[in-house]
Amino acid sequence: MKKYILIILLLNVGLALGQQKQHNLKIEYTVYKGLDIPYKLNATLYVKDGVSIWQEHHNSREPWAGQSVAENLKDMRIDQDALKVEASPCIKTDMKNKEILMHGGILKNWFLVKDNFVTFKWHITNESRQIGQYKCIKATTTYRGRGWSAWFTPEIPSSFGPWKLRGLPGVIIEAVDESNRFTYRAYKIETLDNDKIFKTDFATLMPVGSKKVITYQQFLLDEDEAEENAIRELSQQLNVSTERVTAPRAQQEEVKYEWEQ
């Protein structure tokens, strides 16, 4: 009898260790962004103990082949190397403490920004399909004015996903917005062997000007003001009249913010 109890305990320990490994993950994604100049890049999702860090590698940017450039830019020569910049901004999501900290860029400067922890309202459908070796289920949601479809796999029981998408009973393997402008697609999933990024001061992962944390709402206001000032200074230097043309919200992942409601 004791022998059987010991075997059961060992099986339970092995199962717990297996689940722990599944929760400590490193997932590589390809990100597609259909902006005026469409491009794609690589990104990495690190997951450990209920915390994730999403890191975009801007030095991997390249044109998104097959996608059309905006009509007003078709005659412009696009320097492919200009798409690449040495920056790897991160988004850190702490599920337990319901906190999101990220790097926000204004012109050439980076800041520490605290975002609101919004709870996703997912609708899990009956649709399923195989993506690579994983059986995935389709779920839909709306986040900050944009509709999303996500394919998650219960075979990896972690509630994280690319960018800010999260809250499903399984890792998000693929996510596409309703206009097919933004796509996140995982191409490599492995156990997290090196957790150095979690032990590093988040502020030092990007060369921020200050460790002072500002709200996301304040960041967006500061960004708008900085761009206005930059246009005004350029107008004065060139002694010409210029007008700032802002990118429409349709070209951003977030179309409408909760504080605007």
Side-chain angles (χ1 to χ4, degrees):
M1 185 66 177
K2 291 182 179 179
K3 180 179 179 181
Y4 290 121
I5 294 174
L6 178 60
I7 291 174
I8 293 172
L9 287 174
L10 289 173
L11 286 173
N12 288 336
V13 170
L15 179 60
L17 289 174
Q19 290 177 340
Q20 183 179 12
K21 287 182 178 180
Q22 286 185 317
H23 283 79
N24 296 339
L25 303 166
K26 178 183 178 183
I27 308 176
E28 305 286 354
Y29 289 84
T30 302
V31 181
Y32 301 86
K33 298 196 176 188
L35 308 182
D36 282 348
I37 301 178
Y39 66 87
K40 64 179 182 177
L41 73 155
N42 297 325
T44 306
L45 177 67
Y46 302 91
V47 178
K48 182 184 179 184
D49 300 333
V51 178
S52 75
I53 295 180
W54 169 259
Q55 186 174 48
E56 293 191 350
H57 310 296
H58 290 183
N59 61 357
S60 68
R61 287 176 177 173
E62 60 181 78
W64 182 1
Q67 297 297 309
S68 301
V69 176
E71 192 67 32
N72 61 326
L73 299 177
K74 285 187 175 180
D75 296 329
M76 184 180 73
R77 181 183 176 275
I78 299 173
D79 184 356
Q80 297 188 12
D81 291 334
L83 290 172
K84 300 180 179 181
V85 293
E86 291 301 321
S88 297
C90 299
I91 303 173
K92 182 178 181 180
T93 303
D94 186 329
M95 295 290 279
K96 180 180 179 181
N97 296 311
K98 293 182 169 28
E99 292 179 349
I100 298 177
L101 187 64
M102 61 188 188
H103 299 119
I106 299 179
L107 301 179
K108 294 183 178 181
N109 301 312
W110 291 90
F111 300 86
L112 289 176
V113 182
K114 184 177 182 180
D115 197 1
N116 295 343
F117 191 94
V118 177
T119 300
F120 283 80
K121 297 179 180 179
W122 291 99
H123 169 64
I124 298 177
T125 73
N126 294 322
E127 294 184 55
S128 64
R129 68 184 174 102
Q130 195 78 14
I131 301 180
Q133 68 184 84
Y134 300 102
K135 181 179 179 180
C136 298
I137 300 171
K138 182 180 179 181
T140 60
T141 191
T142 298
Y143 175 60
R144 286 179 171 166
R146 185 176 293 280
W148 290 90
S149 294
W151 293 89
F152 71 95
T153 176
E155 296 174 23
I156 307 178
S158 177
S159 59
F160 291 104
W163 184 51
K164 298 178 182 180
L165 301 174
R166 64 185 186 277
L168 285 166
V171 163
I172 297 174
I173 303 293
E174 184 177 310
V176 183
D177 83 295
E178 59 191 349
S179 66
N180 291 314
R181 185 181 292 272
F182 301 99
T183 300
Y184 299 89
R185 188 172 294 140
Y187 64 87
K188 185 178 181 181
I189 303 174
E190 58 187 356
T191 301
L192 179 68
D193 293 325
N194 186 345
D195 62 353
K196 179 181 178 181
I197 194 167
F198 290 97
K199 297 177 180 178
T200 304
D201 182 359
F202 187 81
T204 64
L205 293 176
M206 281 292 295
V208 295
S210 169
K211 288 191 176 184
K212 178 183 177 181
V213 179
I214 59 176
T215 66
Y216 193 23
Q217 185 176 2
Q218 185 61 51
F219 165 78
L220 293 171
L221 291 172
D222 292 347
E223 181 184 38
D224 189 68
E225 182 180 359
E227 291 179 358
E228 288 281 4
N229 291 337
I231 292 295
R232 188 179 303 109
E233 291 177 8
L234 182 62
S235 299
Q236 294 173 352
Q237 292 175 7
L238 299 178
N239 195 26
V240 294
S241 177
T242 59
E243 182 179 354
R244 178 190 174 201
V245 179
T246 58
R249 288 277 183 91
Q251 291 199 31
Q252 302 174 25
E253 286 97 330
E254 298 166 330
V255 179
K256 183 179 181 179
Y257 301 99
E258 54 274 12
W259 54 80
E260 295 175 329
Q261 295 177 356

